[in-house]
Structures are given as structure tokens and as C-alpha cells.
Amino acid sequence: MDGLNMGHHGMDNHCMDNHSMMHMSFYFGNDATILFAPWKVSSWQGMLWSCIVVLIVSFAYEGLKTVRQRLLKITKIQQQKESTNSNDTGDDDRLLLAVPSRWTRSRRRIALHFIQALLHLVQITVGYMLMLVAMTYNAWLFISLVIGAALGYLIFNYRDVFVDDLHDPCH
């Protein structure tokens, strides 16, 4: 049980000074280490730029979620078209241009699944990084994250709100 009873002697020295102390409640301050040790902020200018970066990343995260949802919807529509051999094309079919139509069905499904898996990997990675930004408990960063996500949802999902809400009796 040597590792469990460390006291303050087992802690790294850099954790003992006030600037590296991890906050456990929200605070408004200009000092924060964001994700990586080199991204250390200690001025209001640095915090402003960090807030802008966090806002942009959370905005893009919402866009990525929307792209994944639309790609999944398009994939399902494409599978329905293939099963009925319909040649109708919709507005959302333009996203399928990345997958050549001369490919066989199975090859197209594998390619679309690979794209979905890659986008899922990016979404999970960015999502966890945004969670870690929120866990800095810096109120400025958290507000930037929430505003970016809200703006992203507002911009990227404007079309879906009117269509999907009319058909979903649960909301």
C-alpha cells in the first residue's frame, strides 16, 4: 500500500505552486493550462485567443455532428433506392459524389461505413477534448464552449428543426 498513502511528498513539485493548482469550481481568471502544457494562458490576451479557439472548435464540432447525421440519412436513403432500383436523386445526394456510382453496392457501403467511422473517430476525439476544456473549470472557456456549440447548432441544424420536429410526436 505504499502508493496509496502518498501525502504531499508523493506529489510532483509543479502541482504545489498556485498557478498549477487544479480548480474544482468555476472561476473567472486569466490563468489556465488548456489540454497541453504548452497551451498555458496567463494574460487576458491569451485567454481571449483561447476563448476564440474554443468557440470555433465547439462550433465546428456541432457541424461535424450534423454532417455525420446527414451522411447516415443519405446512406439509408441510398440503400432504399438501391433496393427499389429507383433513379430519383435528391438534394442531399451531392454528398455521395465522393463515392463513385460505378462501384458495387458492397464496395459503396464499405466506403461509406469507413467514412462514417473516420468521422466518428474525429467526433469522439474533439468531444473529449472539449470535455477536458470544460474540466479546467475556467468560466471564460466554458462560456465560449457553450456559445460555440449553441451557435453551431443554430446554424447547422436550422433546416432539420422544422422538418424533424413535425414528424416526431415525442417532442
Side-chain angles (χ1 to χ4, degrees):
M1 299 267 200
D2 290 308
L4 294 177
N5 189 10
M6 292 190 314
H8 70 84
H9 298 292
M11 299 174 84
D12 292 333
N13 289 334
H14 72 276
C15 291
M16 294 303 290
D17 62 82
N18 289 335
H19 296 291
S20 296
M21 194 69 102
M22 185 171 167
H23 293 271
M24 296 308 290
S25 61
F26 282 104
Y27 69 100
F28 287 93
N30 295 329
D31 60 322
T33 301
I34 307 166
L35 296 179
F36 306 103
W39 191 359
K40 192 174 196 80
V41 177
S42 59
S43 67
W44 69 268
Q45 295 95 340
M47 183 56 70
L48 178 64
W49 283 110
S50 296
C51 287
I52 291 170
V53 168
V54 168
L55 187 137
I56 291 169
V57 170
S58 63
F59 179 85
Y61 178 75
E62 288 298 320
L64 177 62
K65 287 180 5 182
T66 303
V67 166
R68 284 197 61 224
Q69 289 170 352
R70 289 185 183 160
L71 185 60
L72 185 62
K73 187 176 177 181
I74 290 167
T75 303
K76 288 180 181 179
I77 290 169
Q78 186 67 25
Q79 288 174 351
Q80 289 173 352
K81 286 180 183 179
E82 287 174 355
S83 66
T84 61
N85 288 329
S86 173
N87 290 329
D88 296 336
T89 58
D91 290 338
D92 288 333
D93 284 342
R94 64 182 175 265
L95 289 178
L96 288 176
L97 293 176
V99 181
S101 60
R102 68 180 182 277
W103 284 8
T104 63
R105 279 187 206 166
S106 61
R107 218 170 147 190
R108 208 172 325 156
R109 285 184 184 153
I110 290 169
L112 289 172
H113 185 68
F114 181 77
I115 291 168
Q116 274 284 12
L118 186 62
L119 290 174
H120 179 72
L121 173 72
V122 172
Q123 181 182 342
I124 292 296
T125 303
V126 173
Y128 277 120
M129 291 179 122
L130 288 171
M131 178 196 65
L132 290 172
V133 168
M135 288 177 62
T136 64
Y137 289 105
N138 184 289
W140 299 120
L141 293 171
F142 185 76
I143 290 168
S144 299
L145 191 151
V146 171
I147 289 172
L151 287 174
Y153 182 82
L154 182 71
I155 303 271
F156 293 116
N157 293 301
Y158 72 94
R159 184 176 80 176
D160 296 338
V161 171
F162 299 112
V163 175
D164 291 341
D165 283 351
L166 294 175
H167 301 294
D168 192 0
C170 296
H171 292 283

